[in-house]
């Protein structure tokens, strides 16, 4: 019986004196995130073709991305309403890449046959916000004016969409 007690005591000592490899260990990590400023698009000016007189032949009027208005020989460009390019201010996180989407056309409806404006998409696609987080999208277009287009006001709309890449 004495031998049994001695063996039990030796086993207990061996268990208590086990090396540190059997003990638990832990460490911690920090979780973090950076939230980018929401991208916004704010219209600065509308696309305005100005006052136009049609002729008996269909023609076109173009507003460039710089705001210059030109017409072909089948329309007469009148003074009056000031022609302007559409302009949008994009704001978000500085120096971040964005994708700009501009539709290909806008339909203008009014008292006569609808007219189609083919929008200039030179600023569509991948762009980068400047160091202040800004970018300007200027949209020009070419308006198809019908032969003897009915007089009156015509209007339509289009969206410029911007998302982070």
């Amino acid at each position: 019986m004495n031998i049994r007690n001695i063996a039990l005591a030796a086993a207990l000592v061996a268990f208590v004196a086990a090396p540190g490899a059997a003990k638990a260990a832990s460490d911690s990590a920090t979780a973090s995130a950076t939230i980018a400023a929401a991208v916004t698009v704010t219209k600065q000016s509308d696309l305005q073709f100005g006052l136009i007189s049609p002729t008996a032949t269909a023609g076109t009027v173009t507003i460039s991305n710089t705001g210059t208005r030109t017409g072909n020989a089948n329309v007469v460009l009148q003074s009056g309403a000031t022609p302007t390019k559409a302009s949008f201010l994009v704001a978000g996180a500085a120096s971040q890449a964005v994708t700009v989407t501009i539709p290909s056309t806008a339909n203008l409806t009014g008292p006569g046959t609808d007219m189609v404006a083919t929008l200039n998409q030179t600023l569509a696609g991948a762009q980068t916000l400047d160091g202040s987080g800004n970018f300007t999208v200027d949209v020009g277009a070419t308006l198809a004016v019908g032969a003897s287009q009915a007089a009156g006001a015509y209007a339509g709309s289009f969206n410029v969409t911007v998302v982070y890449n």
Side-chain angles (χ1 to χ4, degrees), residues 5-55:
N5 286 341
I6 292 173
L8 185 58
L12 184 60
V13 168
F15 179 76
V16 171
K23 294 183 181 180
S26 69
D27 199 355
S28 64
T30 301
S32 64
T34 302
I35 306 299
V39 66
T40 61
V41 180
T42 306
K43 179 187 70 172
Q44 304 296 300
S45 62
D46 287 315
L47 179 61
Q48 173 57 261
F49 289 95
L51 186 59
I52 304 161
S53 293
T55 64

Side-chain angles (χ1 to χ4, degrees), residues 55-108:
T55 64
T57 304
T60 60
V61 176
T62 300
I63 303 292
S64 72
N65 281 358
T66 62
T68 303
R69 177 175 77 157
T70 57
N72 70 2
N74 298 328
V75 295
V76 178
L77 303 178
Q78 304 287 348
S79 60
T82 304
T84 58
K85 63 188 174 188
S87 187
F88 300 85
L89 176 63
V90 178
S95 305
Q96 293 300 304
V98 295
T99 297
V100 177
T101 304
I102 301 169
S104 58
T105 61
N107 290 326
L108 281 67

